[in-house]
Amino acid sequence: MDRVDTVLCCAAPDTRRHRGPAMFEAMMHGAGLPFTAPRGGVPTVVHGWSEPEWTLFPPPVGRRLVHQVYEMADLDVLAELCGAGTIAFKAGTEFTAVNRALGLFAALRARTGRPRTTRHWTPLVRAASWLVGRFGDEAGGFTVTVSGERDGRPITRRLGMTARQDGGRIPSLLAGIAVDHVLAGRLQTTGLVPLHSWLAPHELRTALRERGISLWRRDDEEGWRPWEE
């Protein structure tokens, strides 16, 4: 692309596997909490678990309701990397009622400022998540939608990945790949290391597929199809 305008990342975590208290504390703490995100190139105050929208994930995940989550590193990293004026990171479980309930809680907290702390809610929410998870699926997914301009024309590209089992491991995949590189002596730089400086696209695709991840692409308004080399 000649210019990148918007980057939208969407996560569909599995609900079968149970999470630890730290994840729930972060989720509840961010609900309704204000932070600044780029919108059309303008720093804009948004709130955690707001801006709901329906997103179509690749099979077997399908259609999910996702919300803007709390402040993520994407807001800074992607702005510097590709100059996008609008960046959002959204997520949603497979249970629409749960997503709507969290969105309602966030809206009330953003308006009233209460409760000021959510730590005492963690055990209750975690227990409810475990109960709901007994009826959930292990599949998980992630998509990236990039919109911009090429040769004077607007263009949108979508890439996705899914795991049919243990979908909650998707966020840790890059860390695992990095460990492989460190142990093999291929990654020796210390400190913050940009992904594209040590992992070529074809290496990333190979590493993901070796870990049971299916890769997808979607052009314009067509459906998802397997991403072939």
Side-chain angles (χ1 to χ4, degrees):
M1 294 182 179
D2 300 322
R3 188 187 74 233
V4 175
D5 297 324
T6 302
V7 178
L8 171 61
C9 301
C10 292
D14 74 295
T15 51
R16 186 71 177 178
R17 301 284 182 175
H18 196 40
R19 267 66 169 184
M23 192 283 293
F24 288 97
E25 287 186 12
M27 179 182 70
M28 297 301 296
H29 173 74
L33 199 69
F35 61 94
T36 301
R39 294 291 184 267
V42 178
T44 305
V45 176
V46 298
H47 294 85
W49 302 103
S50 61
E51 303 178 5
E53 68 174 284
W54 288 95
T55 296
L56 182 63
F57 289 87
V61 177
R63 192 166 176 260
R64 284 198 184 183
L65 179 65
V66 296
H67 288 74
Q68 167 74 56
V69 298
Y70 40 82
E71 191 169 13
M72 307 288 286
D74 302 56
L75 303 178
D76 301 314
V77 175
L78 294 179
E80 181 179 349
L81 185 64
C82 58
T86 298
I87 301 171
F89 189 106
K90 299 188 175 186
T93 74
E94 64 181 298
F95 300 107
T96 302
V98 173
N99 299 331
R100 292 191 186 280
L102 187 55
L104 178 60
F105 172 82
L108 292 174
R109 190 181 184 205
R111 176 168 295 187
T112 65
R114 297 181 180 278
R116 293 182 178 179
T117 178
T118 59
R119 178 163 295 183
H120 60 280
W121 288 64
T122 300
L124 178 61
V125 174
R126 188 168 179 240
S129 174
W130 179 89
L131 181 62
V132 171
R134 300 313 91 201
F135 306 94
D137 194 356
E138 283 194 40
F142 189 83
T143 65
V144 178
T145 301
V146 181
S147 299
E149 185 178 284
R150 186 176 67 188
D151 298 330
R153 295 179 299 176
I155 185 174
T156 298
R157 290 290 180 263
R158 300 175 179 86
L159 298 178
M161 65 174 69
T162 53
R164 289 188 174 274
Q165 293 183 325
D166 199 8
R169 62 195 165 98
I170 288 180
S172 67
L173 290 173
L174 281 177
I177 296 171
V179 169
D180 282 349
H181 277 63
V182 170
L183 295 177
R186 296 193 299 271
L187 180 58
Q188 300 178 354
T189 306
T190 59
L192 297 176
V193 184
L195 175 64
H196 61 279
S197 71
W198 64 272
L199 191 62
H202 72 277
E203 293 177 318
L204 174 59
R205 291 193 292 270
T206 298
L208 291 174
R209 285 171 174 149
E210 288 176 346
R211 288 162 172 78
I213 302 298
S214 299
L215 302 180
W216 308 81
R217 67 178 299 168
R218 181 183 174 200
D219 297 328
D220 300 324
E221 296 305 318
E222 299 177 359
W224 289 101
R225 66 178 188 272
W227 184 8
E228 304 295 341
E229 294 292 349

